Amino acid sequence: MLLAFLRKVLEVETLPPPPPDAGAPRVRWNLLRALVAPEPLPEDPVAPPRGTGRILRFLLAPEPLPEDPPGPAPERRTHWIAWLFKPEKLDP
C-alpha cells in the first residue's frame, strides 16, 4: 500500500496535447492587463473656442499672495548639553 502511494505521488504528469486551432492564437482577456495597459491619448488636445471662459478664468486664476516678513533671528541656544559638547578654544 505504501509503495502504491509513493508511485502515485512521484508519478510524472503530462499535459494533454493542445486542441488543433485555426492558426491564430486565442487572446484571453486579462483584468490586470486591462488595468495596467497604457491609455491611448488623443494626438492634439481640443482647445476651447476663443472668448469663452473669461469669467471662470478670472475666478479660478491663482491669486498673488503676499510674502511673509522675515521672522526673528534664531536665539542662541544655551542648554547644558550644548555647553557640554561645544568646541574648546585653544588660543588664549
Side-chain angles (χ1 to χ4, degrees):
M1 188 159 150
L2 180 64
L3 196 55
F5 175 73
L6 285 176
R7 282 186 189 138
K8 184 65 177 169
V9 170
L10 299 175
E11 182 181 15
V12 177
E13 297 180 7
T14 58
L15 295 175
D21 239 0
R26 189 173 67 170
V27 178
R28 293 177 47 193
W29 185 78
N30 188 350
L31 178 64
L32 183 63
R33 187 179 299 152
L35 291 176
V36 183
E39 183 178 342
L41 298 176
E43 293 297 323
D44 294 324
V46 178
R50 196 104 166 106
T52 60
R54 288 185 187 176
I55 294 173
L56 286 177
R57 202 174 310 144
F58 174 74
L59 292 175
L60 301 177
E63 299 176 18
L65 298 176
E67 294 185 14
D68 293 335
E75 294 182 22
R76 190 170 175 198
R77 296 189 160 256
T78 55
H79 295 292
W80 68 272
I81 196 83
W83 170 79
L84 184 64
F85 290 110
K86 76 177 184 179
E88 294 182 30
K89 294 182 181 179
L90 299 177
D91 294 332

